[in-house]
Amino acid sequence: MARANDEAAALIQELADLLSITGGDAFKIRAYEKAARAIAGHPEDISTLGLAGLKKIPTVGEAIAKKLADYNATGTIRQVEELRAQIPAGVRALTAIPTLGPRKALVLYQELGVSSVAELSEAVERGRLRGLKGFGAKSEENIRHGIELMRQAGERVLVDVAAELADGIVAALRDVPGCRKITHAGSLRRMRETIGDVDVLAASDDPRPLMEAFTALPLVAEVIAGGDKKTSVRTTTGLQVDLRVVPPEAWGAALQYFTGSQAHNIRTREIAFRQGLKLSEYGLFDSDSGELVVSETEEEVYERLGLPWIPPTLREDGGEIEAAREGRLPRLVTAEDIRGDLHTHTDLTDGTAPLERMVAAAADRGLEYYAITDHAPNLVMQRMTDEKILAQRERIRELQKEYRDLTILHGAELNIDPDGGVDWDADFLAGFDVLVASVHSHFTQDRAAMTRRFVTACENPHVHVIGHPTARGIGRRAPVDADWDEVFAAAARTGTAMEIDCFPDRLDLPADLIRRALRYGVKFSIDTDAHAVAHFRNLRYGVGTAQRGWLTPDDVINTWPLDRLREFLSKKP
């Protein structure tokens, strides 16, 4: 994706955030937020577009197009700069705290003089928020937890940020003379949700050309340490990247060594030690003679240890060693297994592309079936009506005539109300092919109430999938509190699938809860929740999360043939 698109989208999103702080028009703020998503996902580099071309971006009208033209000409947006000058930087920093809204951040500044996260933390601990209008005991607890979430995130980035950076580096270095092999390793290869630094591994007989090309990349802001075996740099985004170069004959051992978690690697080294061997990044050696045993491929290394090759996403010492020994490693689901997408949006609600474009993109992906699931009316801000959703259904029927190899399913994303109810009555719901139900409000209900809410939704005969179940936003919103064992038992009993939402800031269900749900016999759906064509590329992150949860294709309903999927959808009690 063009860097200009990302920068401009960030500025438009910041404009929305700044207007939220100053009490701007809610409709205009939502328009900016929607435009920011469209700009980030636009396939053309916006820096090459004139005003007419900018206006062709979905949801970008005359006013926003002029702001983008301003960005193209000056590198910034004047209105953003003006609002920045009006609002203290500390207040803007406070808005990054999960659970703290922009208006409350402004109140804290105006009433208490709080203008930094550190000052807010101190104010909370001293009880200074008590008695402040709009701030109760629950607000204080939420802010304390939000600060904790923010500090836990630290300088880590979401997996997609790290993956796109690593992909670019690998692509840039692949053709350097002497480069035999190159890939990313570490926690990114294990598809962790957040990444602290990026590890890139290469094989070459002469590491110097690779190291020189690496440090000369435009994204490098600072060389932290250099050498023939390892060079570390700080990128312009602040992320550290380590490039390690090993001899080609050591490739397999190095890839195994630099991929596994510390706990996994300790286990494999212990196995080697008990066999009179020594395992390092250069190979598996005989402890007595120092003679090399194997090193060229990961498969050879694991085989010599008496284990089958273990998929990178399982290398966390979470039972994979025992499963490997006993022949119980699962055949993990892959992106190639996915036949359909059961949760996507169009510009009828908060998507940025029209129905026709989203369907065409689904067909281009080679999907066998594809569901449109725009928001239902209880999410009032999306302005859905019965008439709009029924008109969409008719348009889908017309479009279906144009697509022989793609079955278009008409669905909706329902809202799970605080009591577990959903939008529309049973008769109206019966007209849909597939229904996803999600929590979009009242995130702070207590455990008992939230559990009843999910169980009631699962027991609804028209709800097929629970969307992004924990409702978390990684680094910005804590997961809801529920008795997940009770929820998963209800989902298994009622034949309700749990979603794995592919958005990098969701990845929801997370891997630990996937494994927990799997024990109850729950089925899953890996969905992009795409609001733009560009979001389809997030599938890799949802699949990676599913793999970390040990899922096989049989566990995932949208890997199934359409007739089996329809049977599952029709068998709700």
Side-chain angles (χ1 to χ4, degrees):
M1 185 57 59
R3 186 176 177 185
N5 295 37
D6 292 333
E7 290 180 348
L11 283 169
I12 295 294
Q13 181 60 55
E14 184 179 355
L15 179 55
D17 295 340
L18 293 171
L19 287 172
S20 295
I21 295 173
T22 58
D25 179 71
F27 179 78
K28 185 176 288 187
I29 291 167
R30 286 197 298 274
Y32 285 137
E33 291 173 339
K34 199 168 183 179
R37 292 194 295 269
I39 295 160
H42 193 60
E44 295 180 80
D45 184 342
I46 69 160
S47 66
T48 67
L49 301 178
L51 189 63
L54 293 170
K55 287 165 64 177
K56 291 180 181 179
I57 300 173
T59 76
V60 171
E62 179 88 17
I64 296 176
K66 286 181 178 178
K67 289 177 173 59
L68 295 178
D70 188 16
Y71 164 78
N72 283 342
T74 66
T76 188
I77 295 175
R78 276 169 288 185
Q79 189 180 359
V80 172
E81 296 296 332
E82 291 167 2
L83 286 171
R84 283 174 177 170
Q86 296 175 25
I87 302 167
V91 177
R92 299 202 302 274
L94 294 180
T95 63
I97 299 172
T99 75
L100 183 64
R103 293 186 184 181
K104 283 194 171 183
L106 188 59
V107 170
L108 289 168
Y109 174 74
Q110 293 172 335
E111 299 295 326
L112 301 179
V114 169
S115 60
S116 72
V117 176
E119 288 176 0
L120 177 57
S121 180
E122 182 181 0
V124 169
E125 297 309 318
R126 291 189 175 186
R128 294 180 63 203
L129 273 63
R130 293 167 197 165
L132 198 62
K133 187 176 179 180
F135 291 82
K138 190 67 174 177
S139 296
E140 189 176 90
E141 180 186 334
N142 288 341
I143 289 171
R144 183 182 285 109
H145 188 54
I147 293 172
E148 183 184 341
L149 279 175
M150 191 178 190
R151 287 173 173 167
Q152 285 174 356
E155 296 184 5
R156 298 179 72 83
V157 299
L158 295 176
V159 64
D160 65 318
V161 175
E164 289 178 15
L165 177 67
D167 290 346
I169 292 172
V170 168
L173 300 183
R174 182 176 287 121
D175 296 328
V176 170
C179 180
R180 300 272 291 275
K181 294 179 180 179
I182 186 167
T183 191
H184 61 263
S187 58
L188 178 56
R189 191 171 178 229
R190 301 199 309 277
M191 292 297 284
R192 298 283 300 190
E193 297 166 354
T194 61
I195 308 298
D197 52 64
V198 172
D199 295 298
V200 177
L201 182 68
S204 177
D205 290 314
D206 181 5
R208 284 175 298 174
L210 274 167
M211 296 303 189
E212 290 171 2
F214 176 52
T215 56
L217 290 174
L219 56 81
V220 173
E222 174 191 5
V223 178
I224 300 171
D228 286 343
K229 295 179 180 179
K230 176 185 174 182
T231 293
S232 299
V233 303
R234 183 84 57 191
T235 69
T236 52
T237 61
L239 194 61
Q240 181 174 324
V241 182
D242 298 331
L243 172 64
R244 292 177 171 86
V245 182
V246 298
E249 60 271 17
W251 173 256
L255 191 56
Q256 191 278 331
Y257 186 88
F258 290 116
T259 293
S261 69
Q262 182 180 21
H264 176 87
N265 286 350
I266 287 173
R267 295 291 303 279
T268 54
R269 288 198 295 270
E270 287 174 348
I271 293 170
F273 178 78
R274 287 195 293 269
Q275 296 180 20
L277 302 169
K278 180 180 179 182
L279 180 61
S280 75
E281 65 265 46
Y282 295 105
L284 192 59
F285 299 88
D286 184 281
S287 295
D288 294 329
S289 67
E291 182 181 350
L292 176 66
V293 179
V294 290
S295 64
E296 287 191 14
T297 69
E298 282 190 315
E299 288 80 1
E300 287 178 338
V301 172
Y302 279 109
E303 182 180 6
R304 183 60 183 80
L305 294 176
L307 301 170
W309 179 79
I310 298 176
T313 45
L314 299 187
R315 300 181 196 175
E316 299 283 0
D317 192 27
E320 73 278 7
I321 298 290
E322 291 75 12
R325 281 173 169 162
E326 297 167 12
R328 294 186 290 104
L329 282 177
R331 200 290 260 175
L332 297 178
V333 64
T334 67
E336 290 70 31
D337 293 315
I338 301 297
R339 295 172 183 254
D341 200 335
L342 301 181
H343 182 179
T344 68
H345 297 271
T346 74
D347 61 359
L348 185 61
T349 54
D350 60 344
T352 63
L355 169 67
E356 293 78 5
R357 188 172 175 214
M358 294 295 283
V359 171
D364 289 342
R365 289 171 63 195
L367 295 180
E368 296 177 24
Y369 45 88
Y370 174 68
I372 294 293
T373 55
D374 277 313
H375 288 288
N378 287 2
L379 200 61
V380 178
M381 69 182 69
Q382 302 304 336
R383 302 183 177 185
M384 177 58 79
T385 65
D386 295 6
E387 292 74 21
K388 285 182 179 179
I389 201 77
L390 292 175
Q392 183 183 69
R393 185 174 299 167
E394 287 305 312
R395 180 59 184 139
I396 285 174
R397 286 171 179 163
E398 293 172 10
L399 278 176
Q400 186 64 79
K401 299 172 185 176
E402 302 176 22
Y403 292 90
R404 292 186 176 183
D405 298 325
L406 175 68
T407 298
I408 311 170
L409 304 174
H410 190 218
E413 183 179 11
L414 307 174
N415 306 284
I416 304 177
D417 294 337
D419 63 357
V422 297
D423 319 65
W424 291 308
D425 59 29
D427 288 341
F428 199 85
L429 293 175
F432 291 95
D433 296 309
V434 58
L435 289 163
V436 178
S438 309
V439 167
H440 290 120
S441 64
H442 298 82
F443 301 112
T444 58
Q445 280 185 308
D446 64 41
R447 172 176 286 214
M450 188 65 74
T451 302
R452 286 195 301 272
R453 189 176 179 182
F454 278 120
V455 171
T456 301
C458 287
E459 290 174 343
N460 188 314
H462 298 288
V463 171
H464 303 113
V465 180
I466 300 296
H468 42 75
T470 76
R472 70 174 182 172
I474 299 174
R476 60 181 177 83
R477 184 170 66 218
V480 298
D481 187 15
D483 182 337
W484 292 110
D485 292 296
E486 187 174 341
V487 173
F488 297 149
R493 171 172 50 82
T494 60
T496 308
M498 288 283 147
E499 181 178 69
I500 301 168
D501 189 299
C502 298
F503 260 96
D505 63 347
R506 286 192 183 274
L507 298 180
D508 186 11
L509 276 178
D512 60 331
L513 288 182
I514 292 171
R515 291 194 71 178
R516 200 157 148 191
L518 190 60
R519 292 197 291 269
Y520 287 88
V522 171
K523 296 300 182 185
F524 303 84
S525 182
I526 303 174
D527 299 320
T528 63
D529 190 6
H531 287 62
V533 169
H535 295 159
F536 289 140
R537 67 173 181 250
N538 290 335
L539 179 66
R540 67 190 284 198
Y541 309 118
V543 169
T545 301
Q547 290 182 346
R548 289 173 52 77
W550 292 54
L551 294 190
T552 71
D554 192 58
D555 300 315
V556 180
I557 64 173
N558 55 319
T559 69
W560 300 349
L562 181 59
D563 56 353
R564 184 182 176 191
L565 173 67
R566 286 194 186 278
E567 184 180 5
F568 175 84
L569 298 177
S570 68
K571 280 193 172 180
K572 283 280 293 185

